[in-house]
Amino acid sequence: FSLKELHGIFPWLVESIFGSLDGIIVGWNLRCLQGRTNPTEYSVALDFLDPSGPMMKLVYKLQAEEYRYDFPVSYLPGPVKASIQEQVLPECSLYHNKVQFPSSGGLGLNLALNPFEYYMFYFAISLITQKNSPVTHHVSPSNSAYFILVDTYLKCFLPTEGSVLPPPSSNPGGAIPSPTPRSPAVPFTSYGMHHTSLLKRHIAHQPSVNADPASQEIWRSETLLQIFVEMWLHHYSLEMYQKMQSPHVKLEVLHYRLSISSKHHGSPAQSSYQALHAYQESFKPTEEHVLVVRLLVKHLHAFSNSLKPEPLSPSAHSHTASPLEEFKRVVIPRFVQEKLYIFLQHCFGHWPLDASFRAVLEMWLSYLQPWRYAPEKPPQSAEPLPRSVSEKWAAFIQENLLMYTKLFVGFLNRALRTDLVSPKNALMVFRVAKVFAQPNLAEMILKGEQLFLEPELVIPHRQHRLFMTPTLGGSFFSSWPPTITDASFKVKSHVYSLEGQDFQYKQMFGTEVRNLVLKLAQLICQAQTTAKSISDHSAETMASQSFFSWFRFTPSEINGSYTGNDLDEIGQDSIKKTDEYLEKALEYLCQIFKLNEAQLTQMMMKCGTAQDENGKKQLPDCIESEDGLILTPLGRYQIINGLRRFEVQYQGDAELQPIRSYENATLVRLLFRLSSALNERFADQMDVLCSREDFVGRLCRYHLTNPHLIQKIRYSPMVKDRTSQNWGPRISLRFLASYRTLISLLMIYFMASWFYIGPVGCTFIILIGYFLYAVIMTFFSEGWKPHEH
């Protein structure tokens, strides 16, 4: 096709592949396309969208002619959309010189994107927009075509070895130039000053542009990363967005917004309210979204750690470092750190308290351990010992201090509200404790806290300096401040840039957090005791369920119940795993926070002695008040986790109990009517029989009366009609409605027919047997002894 025809079908083709922005057109549904279920479509899609495939060749072909395509601003993340709609340009250079006002009669603002940007915008945002795709089978996100393509694009445009491959060109020996800057269509106020590109200055001093292909095509790497970060991580509230700005920029933006509001809306208050509403985006990331972000984090660590060692001579470094090497040096602090921190904070605060949080947890732990993706390998030893964290990572830990400390406190608050008896929740606590217990890591975090808490007056020349850092979400083409050598200033700059100048830092190794850890240790001890009691109860239940116990005529579960949890269905293996996870987690927490062993031993003994033999008979922790007993937070935890429970038993008329799940509802109602008719017809005769003092009287009193109910009604001030027969001698046939009784009778009739006894003879045998049982139980009963069988 000619370029003109290709230019016309390109937007339609992109939408056909990735779906429409409003989610109506699903497209190829790459997120649900897997090689196991659809091998042909899977391989064709990957080949077609490969970085060297037909689709990217089309992109580069259109890129050479500098075609532009409109992307609606209304589908951008909430903070960016609200900012552009207020004519305040975001810091990220991705939006610079691209915002276009609509033509006459047009609707909304658009971004004028080149073909590569347009393709990657649609590719990245399809992870967010295509949430309601039809799924006919279970899909593993890490095996989908979309996940594989993200990995492929990262490896191609952010290579850990070598340089970025040049795009295919139709001209022999020619290269597709990087997009040239365009003058803005409308005047915008920017959050930060837009400067010339560091890369362009670097390239201008090189003798030949074609000497290093990465110097010419580094813009693809930056554009890809910026689009991924903006589409996947740029979601938070207005307050958080403003807190990340330096004071003078916030003042500038405030003045500009007030002027725009008074000019276009007439009322500043109305505009401020609309802006606040626009920024408050309802953002609910999915587990698949988090897994893709984790893939990005892991690759960026590997990309950054592939940086070549710095030469000893500074002059040699300035002349030999390629643009790709410079990009590796700043890729994490400048592009990812800020937005990832906000994204993790959002997930920690809003994710449900269930096992799906494991995806967020692993993504966080992946970011905290860049040494796992370093090229060097640990030495092989006979005994696998924990790998000590090298001192060379101290700078990374200090410049990401909040990622370690504040988010650890956030995880503690989540762990204190979860059921640690569940093996999945216990595994999460174990994973975090194991990562933070790596040798030398806690010491480096403590050193970072000490640097942050260093008094400001120690270095007088810092008193009037603003805590400025590179625009973390900004462009690699913007200016780079001089290198700061002071470690304390670096830590303070990191904290204040993410949380603002008025941030009150909570020490990870301070008293408050230590108390939270002790509380978590106490819950771990209680959860271990609960798991053991559940295991013991399960073993007792299995032992008591013998074959002959199945033939009891009256069920024993009417008043007795057991409040277990998911371990009852999982089995003994999972209970053992839970105990192992919790035991190791407690050991790691003791290593991290230097907990007193005597104090922990006392705590565990307290948890052990707080329960009796079966761990179920003590009341939950309560306080007495005028309204009765009120559960404390510890009491609620004990009830939720099955540590203790109230002994709630039915104390009313046994005939009027709610119909149980092991009873036939129709039979219960019919037998109740039959019993009522018999009791009403023979009430006087049963009274006479029960008043006799001989053996017949004892037999009738034992089997026709409920002494506990009689005692309760006889002395209760609430019962007015004491002559009512509902608490006197009566016949109860409800036990016949139990499924266990019915099955037992059927089995007896089946055995009788096997021996040719017949139904009449079988019924006669049952009645004789029950009569003998009643006589024997009567001889062993004394007076008004209750019926317990």
Side-chain angles (χ1 to χ4, degrees):
F1 286 86
S2 66
L3 280 176
K4 186 175 181 180
E5 291 174 306
L6 293 175
H7 169 62
I9 69 170
F10 180 67
W12 167 84
L13 181 59
V14 170
E15 191 174 81
S16 300
I17 296 173
F18 301 119
S20 58
L21 296 175
D22 54 12
I24 297 177
I25 301 177
V26 178
W28 290 4
N29 200 8
L30 297 173
R31 293 169 49 248
C32 299
L33 186 61
Q34 292 195 343
R36 180 174 55 86
T37 55
N38 304 98
T40 304
E41 292 83 350
Y42 176 81
S43 59
V44 168
L46 292 184
D47 292 340
F48 186 76
L49 301 176
D50 189 79
S52 59
M55 190 66 186
M56 292 305 294
K57 290 180 181 179
L58 170 62
V59 169
Y60 294 135
K61 191 173 183 180
L62 296 172
Q63 185 81 27
E65 299 299 324
E66 298 187 4
Y67 283 114
R68 298 285 165 172
Y69 301 92
D70 290 338
F71 187 91
V73 171
S74 58
Y75 288 101
L76 294 175
V80 178
K81 175 178 66 175
S83 174
I84 294 177
Q85 288 174 348
E86 294 179 18
Q87 300 186 14
V88 181
L89 196 63
E91 288 181 351
C92 182
S93 66
L94 192 63
Y95 309 106
H96 291 182
N97 305 322
K98 293 183 176 67
V99 182
Q100 302 288 324
F101 271 130
S103 57
S104 57
L107 298 175
L109 295 170
N110 293 313
L111 295 179
L113 306 176
N114 62 48
F116 183 81
E117 293 169 337
Y118 187 79
Y119 173 83
M120 286 301 172
F121 260 84
Y122 263 86
F123 175 76
I125 206 170
S126 63
L127 179 66
I128 310 271
T129 56
Q130 302 293 327
K131 287 186 177 180
N132 299 321
S133 304
V135 179
T136 57
H137 55 274
H138 177 70
V139 177
S140 175
S142 59
N143 294 328
S144 66
Y146 187 88
F147 193 89
I148 300 301
L149 280 174
V150 171
D151 186 44
T152 304
Y153 289 154
L154 289 174
K155 291 178 179 177
C156 175
F157 297 108
L158 300 172
T160 55
E161 297 180 0
S163 58
V164 183
L165 295 177
S169 174
S170 57
N171 301 325
I176 298 176
S178 58
T180 55
R182 303 172 63 220
S183 58
V186 293
F188 269 75
T189 298
S190 175
Y191 285 123
M193 299 299 293
H194 185 59
H195 301 277
T196 57
S197 168
L198 174 62
L199 277 180
K200 288 182 179 179
R201 290 202 305 270
H202 183 85
I203 295 171
H205 292 291
Q206 289 188 353
S208 173
V209 174
N210 294 326
D212 186 2
S215 63
Q216 189 178 17
E217 293 300 328
I218 192 70
W219 66 270
R220 290 184 298 160
S221 303
E222 180 191 4
T223 301
L224 175 85
L225 181 58
Q226 283 184 327
I227 291 174
F228 283 178
V229 171
E230 287 293 310
M231 295 298 107
W232 297 341
L233 300 179
H234 199 154
H235 305 266
Y236 34 77
S237 63
L238 173 63
E239 290 82 2
M240 188 63 70
Y241 192 78
Q242 289 181 337
K243 185 167 63 173
M244 293 187 298
Q245 310 303 323
S246 56
H248 70 280
V249 173
K250 287 196 291 185
L251 186 62
E252 175 189 349
V253 173
L254 178 62
H255 284 307
Y256 181 80
R257 287 181 176 174
L258 290 177
S259 64
I260 293 295
S261 303
S262 59
K263 182 185 301 183
H264 295 285
H265 301 280
S267 171
Q270 181 183 4
S271 176
S272 300
Y273 174 78
Q274 292 175 349
L276 178 64
H277 180 73
Y279 274 89
Q280 299 292 346
E281 184 181 18
S282 177
F283 180 56
K284 298 177 181 179
T286 61
E287 187 173 352
E288 179 187 10
H289 183 177
V290 174
L291 291 175
V292 173
V293 173
R294 186 192 180 203
L295 176 65
L296 173 65
V297 168
K298 291 167 65 175
H299 184 83
L300 289 180
H301 274 319
F303 178 69
S304 179
N305 291 333
S306 65
L307 178 67
K308 296 177 182 178
E310 294 185 7
L312 299 177
S313 172
S315 59
H317 167 72
S318 61
H319 290 288
T320 59
S322 67
L324 188 62
E325 295 296 307
E326 293 287 348
F327 188 54
K328 291 178 181 179
R329 193 182 309 278
V330 298
V331 63
I332 290 181
R334 197 165 188 178
F335 289 93
V336 180
Q337 184 192 61
E338 183 181 53
K339 291 185 174 65
L340 181 63
Y341 173 71
I342 305 301
F343 180 79
L344 283 170
Q345 270 198 321
H346 178 85
C347 291
F348 273 59
H350 296 83
W351 203 276
L353 291 171
D354 56 19
S356 65
F357 185 72
R358 175 78 186 278
V360 180
L361 188 77
E362 294 299 337
M363 186 253 290
W364 172 49
L365 296 179
S366 295
Y367 184 82
L368 298 186
Q369 304 177 85
W371 46 88
R372 290 183 56 190
Y373 312 100
E376 68 268 11
K377 296 182 179 180
Q380 299 293 332
S381 59
E383 296 181 1
L385 299 175
R387 182 183 178 185
S388 178
V389 181
S390 173
E391 286 292 336
K392 75 174 187 177
W393 301 107
F396 177 87
I397 294 171
Q398 293 166 9
E399 294 170 9
N400 293 270
L401 185 63
L402 291 178
M403 287 282 195
Y404 290 88
T405 59
K406 187 174 181 181
L407 292 182
F408 179 82
V409 176
F411 175 77
L412 281 181
N413 291 324
R414 286 185 60 92
L416 291 172
R417 293 178 291 164
T418 55
D419 178 13
L420 298 183
V421 185
S422 169
K424 295 179 180 179
N425 293 334
L427 175 60
M428 287 193 283
V429 176
F430 163 75
R431 288 284 297 124
V432 174
K434 182 180 179 181
V435 168
F436 278 85
Q438 294 177 82
N440 205 30
L441 178 58
E443 289 75 8
M444 286 192 284
I445 296 175
L446 180 60
K447 177 67 180 302
E449 289 193 323
Q450 293 172 349
L451 289 173
F452 174 74
L453 298 173
E454 176 186 314
E456 189 65 23
L457 298 176
V458 174
I459 304 178
H461 70 270
R462 286 201 229 142
Q463 292 181 0
H464 301 290
R465 292 173 63 184
L466 289 173
F467 290 105
M468 296 292 291
T469 57
T471 53
L472 305 181
S475 169
F476 190 71
F477 292 149
S478 58
S479 64
W480 186 251
T483 304
I484 303 173
T485 57
D486 183 14
S488 177
F489 187 77
K490 281 185 176 181
V491 178
K492 293 176 185 288
S493 177
H494 155 72
V495 173
Y496 291 143
S497 63
L498 292 183
E499 292 289 348
Q501 298 282 345
D502 54 349
F503 175 61
Q504 299 296 324
Y505 182 75
K506 183 184 295 184
Q507 299 182 51
M508 177 176 168
F509 296 96
T511 305
E512 186 176 352
V513 177
R514 187 181 179 86
N515 291 335
L516 290 177
V517 174
L518 287 173
K519 189 179 296 185
L520 178 61
Q522 183 179 6
L523 294 183
I524 288 175
C525 296
Q526 293 178 348
Q528 286 180 299
T529 308
T530 304
K532 185 177 183 304
S533 64
I534 293 174
S535 177
D536 295 343
H537 175 84
S538 301
E540 292 174 3
T541 303
M542 293 297 295
S544 63
Q545 288 181 350
S546 61
F547 178 78
F548 291 103
S549 65
W550 227 76
F551 293 93
R552 291 177 296 178
F553 283 95
T554 53
S556 60
E557 298 89 350
I558 292 182
N559 289 328
S561 62
Y562 174 69
T563 56
N565 57 13
D566 58 346
L567 291 179
D568 292 326
E569 290 78 24
I570 293 176
Q572 297 293 326
D573 293 339
S574 293
I575 296 176
K576 184 178 179 181
K577 286 183 180 179
T578 300
D579 188 65
E580 292 176 357
Y581 290 147
L582 294 178
E583 184 177 356
K584 294 297 293 184
L586 191 59
E587 178 183 340
Y588 289 138
L589 289 175
C590 293
Q591 295 177 12
I592 299 168
F593 293 92
K594 306 294 189 294
L595 298 181
N596 189 352
E597 293 185 5
Q599 185 179 9
L600 281 177
T601 304
Q602 183 180 3
M603 184 187 305
M604 295 180 68
M605 291 178 59
K606 183 180 179 181
C607 293
T609 56
Q611 299 190 357
D612 51 10
E613 294 179 356
N614 56 8
K616 299 293 174 185
K617 294 183 179 179
Q618 281 198 349
L619 293 180
D621 190 60
C622 304
I623 57 175
E624 293 187 4
S625 65
E626 298 178 356
D627 299 327
L629 294 178
I630 298 178
L631 282 173
T632 63
L634 177 59
R636 287 193 292 270
Y637 176 85
Q638 291 168 341
I639 290 180
I640 291 173
N641 294 283
L643 292 168
R644 301 180 186 179
R645 64 185 178 93
F646 290 103
E647 291 294 335
V648 180
Q649 295 184 354
Y650 185 84
Q651 297 180 351
D653 190 348
E655 288 295 301
L656 302 179
Q657 289 186 83
I659 298 175
R660 309 291 177 168
S661 59
Y662 50 78
E663 294 178 323
N664 185 290
T666 304
L667 279 179
V668 169
R669 296 185 178 96
L670 291 176
L671 291 173
F672 176 74
R673 293 181 181 179
L674 177 60
S675 300
S676 300
L678 291 175
N679 291 329
E680 184 177 355
R681 174 70 178 80
F682 300 104
D684 296 334
Q685 290 86 336
M686 286 190 293
D687 279 336
V688 172
L689 289 174
C690 289
S691 62
R692 294 173 56 171
E693 296 298 332
D694 55 2
F695 173 78
V696 176
R698 292 183 62 189
L699 180 66
C700 294
R701 284 193 297 270
Y702 183 79
H703 293 283
L704 299 179
T705 59
N706 188 337
H708 279 284
L709 183 62
I710 293 175
Q711 199 78 4
K712 178 180 177 182
I713 297 180
R714 181 171 295 171
Y715 296 101
S716 173
M718 302 301 295
V719 179
K720 304 300 182 183
D721 184 12
R722 302 183 188 279
T723 61
S724 175
Q725 294 297 326
N726 62 351
W727 55 270
R730 60 182 178 175
I731 298 172
S732 176
L733 301 175
R734 181 165 176 170
F735 70 93
L736 294 174
S738 171
Y739 289 116
R740 178 181 294 175
T741 303
L742 295 175
I743 294 175
S744 301
L745 292 175
L746 287 175
M747 292 181 66
I748 292 174
Y749 274 103
F750 174 77
M751 294 172 63
S753 63
W754 181 267
F755 292 102
Y756 303 100
I757 298 177
V760 178
C762 182
T763 304
F764 180 76
I765 291 175
I766 292 175
L767 292 177
I768 292 296
Y770 186 78
F771 178 77
L772 292 175
Y773 163 79
V775 170
I776 293 173
M777 295 308 300
T778 303
F779 272 113
F780 286 98
S781 64
E782 295 180 3
W784 295 90
K785 184 177 179 180
H787 183 44
E788 297 178 352
H789 301 274

